[in-house]
Amino acid sequence: MENQNKAPVRDDMYFVDVEDPNTGETFQTLSISRTPAMLMSFAANKFTEGASNYFSDNFGLGTVDWRMLLLLARTPGVTSAQAANTIGVDKGTVSRSVSRLTKSDLIKLGELHANGRSRGLTLSPSGRALHDKVLQAASSQNSFLMKGFDPAEISVFCDLLLRFTQNLNELIDQGNKAP
């Protein structure tokens, strides 16, 4: 990701004037269609809900379960805390997923690390098989979601999302204080 020094965006581009139907007073609020954080949130919520239903109905997995299988395929030995940080959910959510996936024999817990608290996680053979099966469906869904985009647009879109996430992480690190 390139950190390009661009002129800051004017805050007022995110606002829209609305009229209070009770008083006739005009005031400002956020524009849903021009505020990236709002659009991202709405899209993410809709995506997660749809994915949750699909993965549950077709594979008996929740979305975090699928994300864990994907992460463990990419990063065998990751700990629950590292997984939570990587996939952007709280440790409790990851812990519940690890419990489900362990009971289903889809992942294996490694030996305790030197800290005596964390264990590396890996896919079991059945977890790898399920990962491969779900991967095909997820790939088809991804292709569908990207229809109408050319490869260059997808690359730009991914770059924008990565930069957005980097800014979000910085905001979180600052304690959500507006700069």
Side-chain angles (χ1 to χ4, degrees):
M1 286 184 304
E2 293 180 27
N3 184 7
Q4 300 175 3
N5 294 323
K6 297 184 181 198
V9 175
R10 291 185 8 238
D11 288 342
D12 64 351
M13 78 169 282
Y14 305 122
F15 295 117
V16 62
D17 291 330
V18 295
E19 183 178 322
D20 184 321
N22 297 316
T23 65
E25 174 190 6
T26 300
F27 63 99
Q28 289 189 322
T29 191
L30 286 176
S31 167
I32 293 172
S33 64
R34 290 193 318 258
T35 306
M38 299 284 286
L39 290 169
M40 178 75 68
S41 178
F42 293 163
N45 290 343
K46 177 126 338 250
F47 176 79
T48 300
E49 179 185 7
S52 177
N53 292 337
Y54 178 80
F55 291 127
S56 177
D57 292 348
N58 292 284
F59 303 104
L61 296 172
T63 54
V64 174
D65 299 335
W66 164 235
R67 291 174 191 168
M68 287 296 297
L69 293 180
L70 180 63
L71 180 63
L72 294 176
R74 296 265 313 150
T75 316
V78 71
T79 66
S80 291
Q82 292 166 327
N85 187 52
T86 300
I87 64 177
V89 298
D90 63 88
K91 292 177 190 176
T93 300
V94 168
S95 178
R96 288 186 293 277
S97 176
V98 166
S99 179
R100 280 191 304 275
L101 295 172
T102 302
K103 286 178 186 170
S104 299
D105 194 37
L106 296 171
I107 65 171
K108 299 284 183 194
L109 302 177
E111 298 298 318
L112 278 175
H113 285 187
N115 65 16
R117 295 178 306 199
S118 60
R119 298 174 184 269
L121 307 169
T122 57
L123 290 176
S124 68
S126 58
R128 170 65 194 274
L130 183 58
H131 165 272
D132 294 351
K133 186 177 175 183
V134 178
L135 181 63
Q136 295 305 312
S139 179
S140 294
Q141 286 183 332
N142 195 56
S143 293
F144 183 87
L145 290 170
M146 294 293 101
K147 71 180 178 181
F149 291 81
D150 65 39
E153 289 172 320
I154 294 171
S155 179
V156 168
F157 185 58
C158 289
D159 181 61
L160 294 171
L161 289 171
L162 288 168
R163 287 171 29 208
F164 182 92
T165 302
Q166 182 180 22
N167 292 343
L168 177 59
N169 286 334
E170 288 178 26
L171 181 64
I172 290 168
D173 289 345
Q174 295 172 13
N176 282 318
K177 297 176 184 152

